[in-house]
DNA sequence: GTCTATAGCGGGATAGAC
DNA sequence: GTCTATCCCGCTATAGAC
């Protein structure tokens, strides 16, 4: 089972996904052609089909991969301590994870419409799982008495929308910038759920 | 200058825009064809060009029209009183304006990429104008001492993202539902900017 | 104002040589 | 694994009859 001589699939595969991600984030899935993606990689359109059975699967792999990475990172973060400490950790985690992944975030929230029904259900389930991680923290804080939250589900959606919205205006910037953004948003999140 | 017999342009025109809005919100601009829009209206594709010079202009009219409506409504609302009162009025206004316009909101935030450079600049300028209305209120509250806001521009974006995010999960529902949503979000907005 | 018909182009995907 | 060539389809937009 030795790898074939001249095989570049271990290099070209990632390049295909990177090119697709970049182009789809920029122009949208429906507006990007397989020919454009191939040109970006430096191969012909036909050769793309060595790396994906079709365009739909390529989109799904990008979106699903992003959600798998996100859930894996959440699990690894393993928030603990008081509800307030967990909420701060979650807030900073969300910002730190999403800021360097502008294209993935954009595609994952804009291209849901272009997934097949089955692929949509799979991606949506993972997104729900992520939301639930935050909702659990809010409910713990409510029981603790730290938080005052009339409707944990709505507050979950509100906080995630606020944090994800950073991607709408954030551009480039180094570590210090990120620190400051984290501080400002954590301040707002904290105040919005405490008495 | 009497209107031609058999002319339906005063009826068909709005029907074209309504159909385009519905379909684009559902499937995205690039994925919707002029044939689909025509079929939804009940005419042939060629006849669409009596109502728009091209597909791009049709998209622009939808998005620009939405922003014009929004800015007109903001101006008519004419917020006054303390900064806190103005912020509450703005929050409730935003929710009341956006909730019944799910398709417009969706299209206006998802299809910016598909506007020509010139059309994008026009729409973006109006959106900036709307954001500025909120930012002014926040700055007044900061001067008053009512609010504690480290960065008014970021807080503006955070609040608008949070409020606009309602469209991501809101479905149908009557007046009472809207009242409750307003109350929950106003509660969060208020707490997030006050000490 | 709407129709039918079509020009002209570009799309996704496949076949077969190398 | 990549190439060239191509099938077949659907797209936007226009022309000209009614």
């Amino acid at each position: 089972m030795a790898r074939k001589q001249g095989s570049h699939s271990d290099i070209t595969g990632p390049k295909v996904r990177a090119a697709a991600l970049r182009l789809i984030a920029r122009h949208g899935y429906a507006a990007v052609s397989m020919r454009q993606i191939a040109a970006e990689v430096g191969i012909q359109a036909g050769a793309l089909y060595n790396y994906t059975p079709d365009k739909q699967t390529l989109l799904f792999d990008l979106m699903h991969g992003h959600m798998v990475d996100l859930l894996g990172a959440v699990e690894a973060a393993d928030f603990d301590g008081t509800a307030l400490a967990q909420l701060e950790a979650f807030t900073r985690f969300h910002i730190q994870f999403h800021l360097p992944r502008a294209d993935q975030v954009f595609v994952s929230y804009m291209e849901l419409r272009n997934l097949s029904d089955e692929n949509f259900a799979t991606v949506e389930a993972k997104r729900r799982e992520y939301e639930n991680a935050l909702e659990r923290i809010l409910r713990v804080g409510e029981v603790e008495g730290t938080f005052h939250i009339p409707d944990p589900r709505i507050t979950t959606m509100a906080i995630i929308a606020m944090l994800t919205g950073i991607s709408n205006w954030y551009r480039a910037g180094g570590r210090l910038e990120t620190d400051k953004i984290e501080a400002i948003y954590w301040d707002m999140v904290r105040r919005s759920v405490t008495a």
Side-chain angles (χ1 to χ4, degrees), chain A residues 11-27 32-48 58 103:
Chain A
I11 294 177
T12 309
K15 277 171 76 175
V16 166
R17 283 186 288 279
L21 179 67
R22 231 181 67 90
L23 288 170
I24 293 173
R26 196 94 87 228
H27 307 291
V32 171
S33 70
M34 295 298 268
R35 285 175 173 82
Q36 278 177 272
I37 296 170
E40 186 93 351
V41 177
I43 58 177
Q44 294 301 313
L48 284 177
L58 183 52
D103 286 348

Side-chain angles (χ1 to χ4, degrees), chain A residues 100-183:
Chain A
R101 290 175 176 81
D103 286 348
Q104 284 96 329
V105 172
F106 213 65
V107 169
S108 288
Y109 286 82
M110 304 277 276
E111 303 297 351
L112 287 167
R113 291 178 300 188
N114 290 307
L115 289 174
S116 67
D117 289 351
E118 189 187 345
N119 287 342
F120 174 80
T122 303
V123 169
E124 194 62 10
K126 297 239 189 280
R127 192 161 76 148
R128 181 61 74 108
E129 203 178 319
Y130 180 66
E131 291 162 3
N132 287 347
L134 172 56
E135 190 173 338
R136 270 193 298 276
I137 295 172
L138 296 181
R139 287 184 186 280
V140 168
E142 178 73 29
V143 172
E144 268 185 8
T146 317
F147 301 155
H148 285 75
I149 297 168
D151 185 315
R153 183 77 205 151
I154 289 185
T155 301
T156 297
M157 301 306 284
I159 290 174
I160 288 181
M162 188 171 80
L163 296 179
T164 304
I166 299 174
S167 302
N168 293 335
W169 54 263
Y170 177 75
R171 295 289 172 266
R175 279 229 88 252
L176 271 172
E177 195 65 65
T178 302
D179 286 352
K180 199 170 176 193
I181 292 170
E182 281 178 40

Side-chain angles (χ1 to χ4, degrees), chain A residues 70-80 89-90 92-94 96:
Chain A
L70 176 62
L71 289 178
V74 157
E75 195 166 358
D78 193 26
F79 310 126
D80 64 352
F90 180 92
R92 292 185 184 275
F93 164 83
H94 185 98
Q96 285 167 15

